[in-house]
Amino acid sequence: MHERPFSLVKWYLDCVTDDGEVAVVYCAELGWHGVHLHLSSVLSQQDGQFNTRTSLSRYSVNSDRETISASLPKLGVTGSWLADSPPFERLVYENVAGSVTWNCLQPRSLASLRIGDRELRGLGYAECLTLTILPWNLPLKQLRWGRFVSPQDSLVWVDWQGPYHTSFAVYGSKECNLLRVSDTEVAIPEATLQIEPGIALRSGPLRSTVLPDIPTLGKLFPRSFFNVEERKWRSRGTLTTSNHSSSGWVIHEVVRWQA
């Protein structure tokens, strides 16, 4: 019997207020082996603690050239992101089995988000990742990703380490080489971003941080995939070029695939 192709479309949408309050919205649509799932979640702060709430109910994400709107009724979340920087798209990886396409729709956004009775307004970021290859078959051992947004600048970086290696950054809407990347510094030819110690938004294996206890996923995905380790932070950052510097908020993460 012909195996149905794998497809995963994952939206990442965030907002950080001027004083550092943060919310991250994830929306994913999965299709494989006749299973079609909608998964949404919101990472936010409640009673001084960061937590992730997840739903398998339907959501809506609508996007045009300038605006992205999202509605997650079960989680009581609505939001809009107005583009404040041009988009950038890149084919990150491809083989005979499928591909990974990264669409950075809004490197910098003007974001407005409502979570229950709370409203957040600030600078944000929006991307959409499309996979047609099984995630656990990717030649990947460690991934560093992050985004810096200030009123003057935006910087996004991807550092993929493993049997296949690629690293790059997008400064504004221009792709550039990623010279150095760590928890405290990101360097590109045009600028250096210094990242201050921040607060942990999430840390642990995917089974406890991102993926809820969903029996369907447990049957479809290998156990090793749920053991992938994720660490995500919100930090203050300062970007310095030859002629100016700007300060803003950084959201960055390290994801490690276990042997």
Side-chain angles (χ1 to χ4, degrees):
M1 182 180 295
H2 178 68
E3 182 180 287
R4 290 184 179 272
F6 177 86
S7 173
L8 174 64
V9 178
K10 181 177 76 71
W11 290 85
Y12 170 100
L13 310 161
D14 73 33
C15 174
V16 186
T17 65
D18 289 345
D19 61 1
E21 187 175 0
V22 60
V24 181
V25 174
Y26 297 90
C27 296
E29 186 173 355
L30 167 70
W32 192 40
H33 282 318
V35 174
H36 193 192
L37 288 179
H38 291 82
L39 175 68
S40 59
S41 68
V42 58
L43 167 62
S44 63
Q45 192 171 12
Q46 283 187 319
D47 301 323
Q49 299 290 326
F50 286 97
N51 66 76
T52 300
R53 294 184 296 120
T54 303
S55 171
L56 286 175
S57 298
R58 285 187 173 269
Y59 59 83
S60 66
V61 177
N62 297 298
S63 173
D64 59 30
R65 293 179 62 88
E66 294 187 354
T67 305
I68 298 172
S69 62
S71 176
L72 290 63
K74 195 73 172 181
L75 298 175
V77 176
T78 59
S80 64
W81 287 258
L82 178 64
D84 197 36
S85 185
F88 181 88
E89 186 172 12
R90 192 182 198 274
L91 180 66
V92 179
Y93 177 74
E94 184 177 32
N95 66 14
V96 295
S99 62
V100 179
T101 302
W102 177 66
N103 190 353
C104 183
L105 292 157
Q106 296 183 2
R108 183 175 63 233
S109 310
L110 305 177
S112 175
L113 189 64
R114 180 173 288 277
I115 305 173
D117 58 0
R118 293 186 297 133
E119 187 171 357
L120 286 74
R121 292 182 181 271
L123 295 178
Y125 170 89
E127 70 173 40
C128 184
L129 190 69
T130 302
L131 284 80
T132 58
I133 184 172
L134 297 171
W136 49 90
N137 286 343
L138 291 171
L140 177 60
K141 294 299 182 184
Q142 176 178 283
L143 176 70
R144 285 187 180 271
W145 170 93
R147 70 32 144 217
F148 163 81
V149 177
S150 76
Q152 299 82 20
D153 296 294
S154 66
L155 176 67
V156 193
W157 60 94
V158 174
D159 181 47
W160 173 317
Q161 298 286 341
Y164 172 78
H165 168 69
T166 186
S167 62
F168 60 92
V170 179
Y171 178 40
S173 60
K174 175 187 174 185
E175 182 176 358
C176 53
N177 292 329
L178 186 59
L179 303 179
R180 296 186 305 279
V181 60
S182 69
D183 294 344
T184 59
E185 182 187 56
V186 177
I188 61 174
E190 297 91 337
T192 300
L193 174 66
Q194 298 294 334
I195 304 173
E196 299 177 11
I199 59 172
L201 300 178
R202 206 156 58 187
S203 181
L206 293 186
R207 67 176 179 272
S208 65
T209 62
V210 180
L211 299 174
D213 185 17
I214 303 173
T216 303
L217 290 183
K219 294 175 182 178
L220 284 174
F221 292 1
R223 182 177 300 177
S224 60
F225 180 72
F226 295 91
N227 292 330
V228 171
E229 289 280 339
E230 175 204 34
R231 291 183 295 148
K232 187 188 297 289
W233 302 270
R234 185 225 66 195
S235 305
R236 196 69 179 164
T238 300
L239 184 82
T240 303
T241 72
S242 60
N243 55 25
H244 84 280
S245 67
S246 66
S247 295
W249 291 107
V250 183
I251 296 178
H252 56 123
E253 68 179 8
V254 179
V255 181
R256 291 190 175 96
W257 274 248
Q258 305 300 311

